[in-house]
């Protein structure tokens, strides 16, 4: 068995875990690097998932480790909405049953020597691999609006920087953004004792699922289990392989329609009457003043606040993945910052795969959600199985 036949999965979030489960079920020697679900562990513990139950299972080929199976195993039932700690417990259970061994070490560099991939880990070890799956999530894609670029993090920070909001008790804060993340952070900040204003560029859209609520059992005609996008488009989005065959322009317009910021109804009572909503307004300038921040808004008004939270989302771009060696990066063909991929999620570099938000350009908005992990895992495991010799070891060089 040769180390170069190992498949390395970089990342142990919903995508990395699902892909590893599919690879290992095919007896493909696999090594997974990264910290299990660490992006989600850093979210405030009292958050809820936006995803519905049917869209939040990780994927194993036999479907033995779904949320339903987990709930049954602990004598629980479907949660609406799903509390974050419940989801994290489920993912831990999934990992224990479906994925053997995760090496909780970060990859520092990934290069290709012409024949194989070479990975350096941050603890000094090195690994050789025949196939590599990049499943490193969205953390490095955090979008900072231009007005905030030069502000110190003590005054303005992306929402993903915050786990414990209790330190903002008694503070006067603003949250920029009109999506689920921004509004949920706003509710949590209010509940932590802060005075909160949401400033959003567009009107706030509360998700309307009248069709779901009114159609009884027929709702499954209108809503596929993956539940990404509005009725009609959601069925196209549910099949990433089909989506990838649409013309560029059509994919782009479906994507824009499907991922426009919107907020779950269950959040509404925690916002209305508690948090000031200033929609269709932008911050045009923010300047440190005294211990706080002085903000000028597009409607001509100003705010003096203690802290500005940027719930401004994520923009996938391969160039933010600094562990990819520049020479290898050059060989990955891209369009709009995303790798060009074949139907197996493989990039222009043979045996190098990208999943999650980076594959959204080709496979659509489902890739930004847990619900997209199954299709990616299935395709990649099939492809690796066809292109690998099953005689390998998974040793790491000291
Ligand atoms: C506030 C918030 C709420 C969300 N709610 C939902 C929701 O309800 N439903 C939903 O479907 N999606 C939700 N999302 C989107 C969610 O982040 C993605 O669906 C999901 O995390 C994608 O999984 P992933 O495996 O690609 O990435 P992640 O979960 O981010 O996992 C990335 C993994 O990569 C590892 N990693 C990173 N860099 C390296 C490296 N150099 N070397 C080794 N390992 C590395 C990390 O340790 C981690 O294990 C939410 C996002 C946010 C910000």
């Amino acid at each position: 068995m040769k180390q170069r036949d190992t498949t390395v999965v970089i990342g142990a979030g919903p995508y990395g875990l699902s892909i590893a489960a599919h690879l290992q079920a095919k007896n493909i020697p696999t090594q997974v690097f990264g910290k299990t679900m660490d992006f989600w562990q850093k979210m405030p513990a009292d958050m809820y998932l936006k995803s519905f139950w049917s869209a939040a299972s990780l994927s194993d080929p036999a479907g033995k480790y779904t949320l339903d199976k987990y709930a049954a195993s602990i004598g629980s039932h479907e949660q609406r909405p799903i509390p974050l700690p419940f989801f994290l417990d489920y993912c831990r259970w999934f990992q224990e049953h479906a994925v053997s061994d995760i090496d909780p070490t970060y990859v520092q560099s990934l290069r290709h020597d012409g024949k194989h991939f070479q990975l350096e880990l941050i603890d000094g070890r090195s690994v050789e691999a025949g196939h590599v799956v990049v499943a490193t999530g969205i953390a490095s894609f955090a979008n900072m609006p231009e007005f905030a670029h030069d502000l110190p993090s003590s005054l303005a920070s992306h929402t993903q920087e915050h786990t414990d909001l209790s330190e903002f008790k008694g503070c006067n804060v603003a949250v920029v953004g009109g999506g689920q993340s921004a509004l949920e952070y706003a509710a949590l900040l209010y509940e932590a004792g802060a005075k909160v204003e949401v400033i959003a560029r567009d009107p706030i859209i509360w998700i309307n699922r009248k069709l779901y609520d009114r159609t009884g059992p027929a709702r499954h005609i209108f809503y596929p289990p993956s539940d990404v996008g509005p009725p009609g488009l959601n069925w196209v989005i549910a099949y990433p392989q089909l989506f990838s065959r649409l013309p560029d322009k059509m994919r782009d317009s479906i994507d824009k329609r499907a991922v426009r910021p919107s907020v779950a109804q269950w959040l509404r009572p925690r916002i209305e009457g508690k948090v000031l909503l200033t929609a269709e307004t932008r911050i045009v300038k923010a300047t440190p003043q005294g211990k706080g921040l002085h903000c000028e808004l597009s409607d001509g008004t100003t705010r003096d606040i203690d802290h500005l939270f940027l719930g401004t989302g994520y923009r996938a771009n391969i160039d933010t993945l600094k562990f990819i060696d520049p020479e290898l990066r050059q060989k990955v063909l891209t369009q709009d910052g995303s790798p060009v991929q074949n139907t197996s999620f493989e990039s222009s570099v043979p045996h190098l795969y990208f999943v999650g938000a980076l594959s959204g350009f080709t496979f659509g908005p489902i890739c930004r959600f847990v619900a997209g992990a199954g299709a990616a895992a299935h395709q990649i495991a099939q492809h690796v199985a066809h292109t690998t010799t099953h005689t390998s070891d998974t040793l790491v060089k000291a």
Side-chain angles (χ1 to χ4, degrees):
M1 294 203 296
K2 298 194 178 65
Q3 192 186 12
R4 61 174 181 255
D5 290 329
T6 299
T7 296
V8 163
V9 180
I10 310 178
Y15 277 79
L17 294 177
S18 300
I19 291 159
H22 280 250
L23 290 167
Q24 290 181 351
K26 286 189 181 299
N27 292 322
I28 294 167
T30 305
Q31 273 197 304
V32 186
F33 294 105
K35 301 205 165 125
T36 306
M37 297 299 292
D38 67 345
F39 180 71
W40 297 75
Q41 310 262 12
K42 289 176 197 153
M43 296 177 191
D46 35 9
M47 282 192 85
Y48 290 86
L49 268 68
K50 184 181 183 186
S51 286
F52 274 75
W53 184 263
S54 64
S57 283
L58 308 194
S59 174
D60 65 291
K64 278 160 65 181
Y65 305 113
T66 60
L67 263 172
D68 278 332
K69 301 270 167 57
Y70 170 67
S73 78
I74 59 164
S76 186
H77 49 81
E78 178 174 339
Q79 314 277 311
R80 277 183 84 170
I82 305 170
L84 177 62
F86 185 96
F87 181 64
L88 285 171
D89 287 346
Y90 159 63
C91 293
R92 200 170 304 118
W93 176 86
F94 177 95
Q95 189 244 295
E96 282 163 11
H97 288 83
V99 185
S100 64
D101 275 353
I102 291 187
D103 190 329
T105 315
Y106 283 113
V107 171
Q108 187 164 277
S109 78
L110 169 67
R111 59 191 182 83
H112 196 259
D113 66 9
K115 280 188 171 169
H116 310 114
F117 293 99
Q118 310 284 340
L119 295 100
E120 306 293 330
L121 308 181
I122 53 163
D123 60 9
R125 289 176 295 157
S126 57
V127 185
E128 216 173 58
H131 296 74
V132 171
V133 183
V134 177
T136 46
I138 54 174
S140 68
F141 305 146
N143 175 43
M144 299 289 278
E146 212 171 306
F147 70 78
H149 281 179
D150 298 325
L151 294 173
S153 59
S154 57
L155 293 177
S157 51
H158 198 274
T159 45
Q160 74 168 7
E161 305 299 324
H162 299 276
T163 307
D164 177 11
L165 301 174
S166 61
E167 64 177 293
F168 295 97
K169 184 176 178 177
C171 293
N172 192 6
V173 304
V175 181
V176 180
Q180 177 77 13
S181 233
L183 274 281
E184 195 167 7
Y185 270 85
L188 291 169
L189 282 159
Y190 171 81
E191 288 155 10
K195 186 168 173 249
V196 189
E197 177 174 4
V198 168
I199 300 168
R201 208 172 38 182
D202 300 312
I204 305 292
I205 299 171
W206 299 98
I207 296 170
N208 168 355
R209 285 170 62 91
K210 282 189 190 139
L211 203 53
Y212 185 92
D213 297 328
R214 289 181 188 163
T215 48
R219 64 173 61 114
H220 300 299
I221 300 169
F222 302 107
Y223 293 89
S226 53
D227 197 31
V228 176
L233 291 181
N234 54 7
W235 277 106
V236 181
I237 292 167
Y239 294 96
Q241 297 295 314
L242 170 71
F243 186 94
S244 71
R245 289 181 170 87
L246 301 174
D248 279 12
K249 256 192 165 170
M250 196 185 288
R251 291 207 317 278
D252 190 47
S253 75
I254 295 178
D255 190 69
K256 285 203 175 87
R257 172 64 187 89
V259 298
R260 70 177 185 191
S262 60
V263 190
Q265 282 288 345
W266 52 259
L267 204 48
R268 209 164 178 166
R270 291 171 58 195
I271 292 285
E272 286 180 344
K274 293 168 179 161
V275 166
L276 180 61
L277 292 178
T278 304
E280 297 175 82
T281 309
R282 285 174 297 109
I283 293 186
V284 288
K285 196 172 175 194
T287 331
Q289 199 169 84
K291 285 186 177 167
L293 204 57
H294 178 73
C295 301
E296 295 170 32
L297 275 57
S298 55
D299 61 5
T301 60
T302 60
R303 306 284 188 279
D304 288 299
I305 55 172
D306 298 308
H307 195 90
L308 186 62
F309 287 83
L310 302 162
T312 40
Y314 297 82
R315 281 210 185 129
N317 189 325
I318 192 176
D319 292 319
T320 65
L321 302 181
K322 298 296 175 207
F323 63 85
I324 300 180
D325 174 70
E327 208 177 307
L328 175 59
R329 164 64 190 90
Q330 286 280 306
K331 292 183 182 144
V332 180
L333 292 179
T334 56
Q335 196 170 346
D336 289 346
S338 294
V340 174
Q341 295 177 289
N342 66 17
T343 52
S344 301
F345 289 76
E346 190 184 34
S347 67
S348 54
V349 174
H351 302 178
L352 178 61
Y353 307 81
F354 291 87
V355 295
L358 271 178
S359 58
F361 177 80
T362 306
F363 294 99
I366 198 171
C367 299
R368 299 193 192 96
F369 297 89
V370 173
H378 173 78
Q379 288 299 118
I380 290 172
Q382 293 262 62
H383 195 255
V384 174
H386 278 112
T387 55
T388 200
T389 52
H390 291 217
T391 53
S392 61
D393 63 25
T394 56
L395 292 176
V396 176
K397 284 186 263 178

